[in-house]
Coordinates of all heavy atoms in Angstrom, one line a residue:
A1 N 53.4 74.5 34.8 CA 54.1 74.0 36.0 C 53.3 72.8 36.6 O 53.7 72.3 37.6 CB 54.2 75.1 37.1
F2 N 52.1 72.6 36.1 CA 51.3 71.5 36.5 C 51.3 70.3 35.7 O 51.6 70.3 34.4 CB 49.8 72.1 36.6 CG 49.7 73.2 37.6 CD1 49.9 74.5 37.1 CD2 49.6 72.9 39.0 CE1 49.8 75.5 38.0 CE2 49.5 74.0 39.8 CZ 49.6 75.3 39.5
P3 N 51.2 69.1 36.2 CA 51.4 67.8 35.5 C 50.4 67.6 34.5 O 49.1 67.9 34.7 CB 51.4 66.7 36.7 CG 50.6 67.4 37.8 CD 50.9 68.8 37.7
R4 N 50.7 66.9 33.4 CA 49.9 66.5 32.5 C 49.0 65.4 32.9 O 49.4 64.3 33.6 CB 50.6 66.1 31.1 CG 49.7 65.6 30.1 CD 50.6 64.9 29.0 NE 49.8 64.2 28.0 CZ 49.3 64.8 26.8 NH1 49.8 66.1 26.5 NH2 48.6 64.2 26.0
A5 N 47.7 65.4 32.6 CA 46.8 64.2 32.7 C 46.3 63.6 31.4 O 45.8 64.4 30.6 CB 45.6 64.7 33.6
D6 N 46.5 62.4 31.3 CA 46.0 61.6 30.0 C 44.6 61.2 30.3 O 44.5 60.4 31.3 CB 46.9 60.6 29.6 CG 48.3 61.0 29.0 OD1 48.4 62.1 28.6 OD2 49.3 60.3 29.2
L7 N 43.6 61.5 29.4 CA 42.3 61.2 29.7 C 41.8 60.2 28.7 O 42.2 60.2 27.6 CB 41.4 62.5 29.6 CG 41.8 63.7 30.4 CD1 40.9 64.9 30.2 CD2 41.7 63.2 32.0
A8 N 40.8 59.4 29.2 CA 40.2 58.4 28.2 C 38.7 58.2 28.7 O 38.5 58.1 29.9 CB 41.0 57.2 28.2
L9 N 37.9 58.0 27.8 CA 36.5 57.7 28.1 C 36.3 56.3 28.0 O 36.6 55.6 26.9 CB 35.6 58.5 27.1 CG 34.0 58.5 27.6 CD1 33.9 59.3 28.8 CD2 33.3 59.2 26.5
V10 N 35.7 55.6 29.1 CA 35.6 54.1 29.1 C 34.2 53.8 29.3 O 33.4 54.6 30.1 CB 36.7 53.5 30.1 CG1 38.1 53.8 29.7 CG2 36.3 54.0 31.5
F11 N 33.9 52.5 29.0 CA 32.4 52.1 29.4 C 32.6 50.7 30.0 O 33.6 50.0 29.8 CB 31.6 51.9 28.0 CG 31.3 53.2 27.3 CD1 32.1 53.9 26.6 CD2 29.9 53.6 27.4 CE1 31.8 55.1 26.0 CE2 29.5 54.8 26.9 CZ 30.4 55.6 26.1
P12 N 31.5 50.3 30.8 CA 31.7 48.9 31.3 C 31.8 47.9 30.3 O 31.3 48.1 29.1 CB 30.2 48.9 32.1 CG 29.8 50.3 32.3 CD 30.4 51.1 31.1
D13 N 32.4 46.8 30.7 CA 32.7 45.7 29.7 C 31.4 45.2 29.0 O 30.4 45.0 29.6 CB 33.4 44.6 30.5 CG 34.7 44.9 30.9 OD1 35.4 45.8 30.5 OD2 35.2 44.1 31.7
G14 N 31.5 45.3 27.6 CA 30.4 44.7 26.9 C 29.4 45.6 26.5 O 28.5 45.3 25.8
E15 N 29.5 46.9 27.1 CA 28.4 47.9 26.7 C 29.0 48.7 25.4 O 30.1 48.9 25.2 CB 28.3 48.8 27.8 CG 27.6 48.2 29.0 CD 27.1 49.3 29.9 OE1 26.9 50.5 29.5 OE2 26.8 48.8 31.0
P16 N 28.0 49.0 24.5 CA 28.4 49.8 23.4 C 28.5 51.2 23.8 O 28.0 51.7 24.7 CB 27.2 49.7 22.4 CG 26.1 49.4 23.4 CD 26.6 48.7 24.6
S17 N 29.6 51.9 23.0 CA 29.7 53.3 23.3 C 28.5 54.0 22.6 O 27.7 53.5 21.9 CB 31.1 53.8 22.7 OG 31.0 53.6 21.2
E18 N 28.6 55.4 22.6 CA 27.6 56.2 22.0 C 27.3 55.9 20.5 O 26.3 56.0 20.0 CB 27.9 57.8 22.2 CG 27.8 58.1 23.5 CD 29.2 58.2 24.1 OE1 30.2 57.4 23.5 OE2 29.5 59.0 25.0
C19 N 28.3 55.6 19.8 CA 28.4 55.4 18.3 C 28.5 54.0 18.0 O 28.7 53.6 16.8 CB 29.4 56.3 17.7 SG 29.4 58.0 18.1
D20 N 28.4 52.9 18.9 CA 28.6 51.6 18.7 C 27.3 50.8 18.9 O 27.1 50.2 20.0 CB 29.7 51.1 19.5 CG 30.1 49.6 19.2 OD1 29.7 49.0 18.2 OD2 30.8 49.0 20.1
A21 N 26.5 50.7 17.9 CA 25.3 50.0 18.0 C 24.4 50.1 19.1 O 23.8 49.2 19.7 CB 25.8 48.5 17.8
L22 N 24.3 51.4 19.5 CA 23.4 51.7 20.7 C 21.9 51.4 20.4 O 21.3 50.9 21.2 CB 23.6 53.2 21.1 CG 22.8 53.6 22.3 CD1 23.0 52.7 23.6 CD2 22.9 55.2 22.6
A23 N 21.5 51.7 19.2 CA 20.1 51.5 18.7 C 19.8 50.0 18.9 O 18.8 49.6 19.4 CB 19.9 52.0 17.3
M24 N 20.8 49.2 18.4 CA 20.4 47.7 18.6 C 20.6 47.3 20.0 O 19.7 46.5 20.4 CB 21.5 46.9 17.7 CG 21.2 45.4 17.7 SD 22.5 44.6 16.7 CE 22.1 45.3 15.0
A25 N 21.4 47.9 20.9 CA 21.5 47.4 22.2 C 20.2 47.8 22.9 O 19.7 47.0 23.7 CB 22.6 48.0 22.9
L26 N 19.7 48.9 22.7 CA 18.5 49.5 23.4 C 17.3 48.5 22.9 O 16.5 48.1 23.9 CB 18.2 51.0 23.0 CG 19.1 51.9 23.6 CD1 18.8 53.3 23.0 CD2 19.1 51.9 25.2
S27 N 17.2 48.2 21.8 CA 16.1 47.3 21.3 C 16.2 45.9 21.8 O 15.1 45.3 22.3 CB 16.2 47.5 19.7 OG 15.1 46.5 19.2
Q28 N 17.4 45.4 21.7 CA 17.5 43.9 22.1 C 17.5 43.8 23.6 O 17.3 42.6 24.0 CB 18.8 43.5 21.5 CG 18.7 43.2 19.9 CD 20.1 42.7 19.3 OE1 21.0 42.6 20.1 NE2 19.9 42.3 18.1
N29 N 17.8 44.8 24.3 CA 18.0 44.6 25.9 C 16.9 45.1 26.5 O 17.1 45.4 27.8 CB 19.3 45.1 26.2 CG 20.7 44.4 25.6 OD1 20.4 43.3 25.4 ND2 21.7 45.2 25.4
R30 N 15.7 45.2 26.0 CA 14.5 45.8 26.8 C 14.2 44.9 28.0 O 14.0 45.3 29.0 CB 13.4 46.0 25.9 CG 13.6 47.2 25.0 CD 12.5 47.4 23.9 NE 12.8 48.2 22.9 CZ 12.3 48.2 21.7 NH1 11.4 47.3 21.4 NH2 12.5 49.0 20.8
R31 N 14.3 43.6 27.7 CA 13.9 42.6 28.8 C 14.9 42.8 30.0 O 14.5 42.7 31.1 CB 13.7 41.2 28.2 CG 13.3 40.1 29.3 CD 13.3 38.8 28.6 NE 12.4 38.7 27.4 CZ 11.1 38.5 27.5 NH1 10.5 38.4 28.8 NH2 10.3 38.6 26.5
R32 N 16.1 42.8 29.6 CA 17.1 42.9 30.6 C 17.1 44.3 31.4 O 17.1 44.3 32.6 CB 18.6 42.9 30.1 CG 19.8 43.0 31.1 CD 21.0 43.3 30.4 NE 21.0 44.7 29.8 CZ 22.0 45.2 29.3 NH1 23.3 44.6 29.3 NH2 22.0 46.4 28.7
D33 N 16.8 45.3 30.7 CA 16.6 46.7 31.3 C 15.3 46.7 32.2 O 15.3 47.4 33.2 CB 16.5 47.8 30.1 CG 17.8 47.9 29.5 OD1 18.8 47.4 29.9 OD2 17.9 48.8 28.6
M34 N 14.3 46.0 31.7 CA 13.1 46.0 32.4 C 13.2 45.3 33.9 O 12.7 45.7 34.7 CB 12.0 45.2 31.7 CG 10.6 45.3 32.1 SD 9.3 44.6 31.0 CE 9.6 45.6 29.5
A35 N 14.0 44.3 33.9 CA 14.3 43.6 35.0 C 15.2 44.5 36.0 O 14.9 44.5 37.2 CB 15.2 42.2 34.8
A36 N 16.0 45.3 35.5 CA 16.8 46.3 36.3 C 16.1 47.5 36.6 O 16.4 48.2 37.6 CB 18.1 46.6 35.6
G37 N 15.0 47.8 35.7 CA 14.2 49.0 36.0 C 14.8 50.2 35.5 O 14.5 51.4 35.8

């Protein structure tokens, strides 16, 4: 008797998902991450 909810997992624009080149993103973006802390 309760309505259906369609769900989707989303990421901020340009960010890799868990399985999408995360290792490369972590390695290449250390300088950016360092600036953000």
Side-chain angles (χ1 to χ4, degrees):
F2 297 93
R4 176 190 172 100
D6 289 335
L7 302 177
L9 196 63
V10 297
F11 289 80
D13 290 342
E15 288 193 19
S17 68
E18 294 95 336
C19 300
D20 183 15
L22 179 58
M24 184 176 295
L26 292 173
S27 177
Q28 292 182 347
N29 293 329
R30 288 173 191 154
R31 187 178 298 275
R32 180 197 65 172
D33 291 355
M34 196 174 293

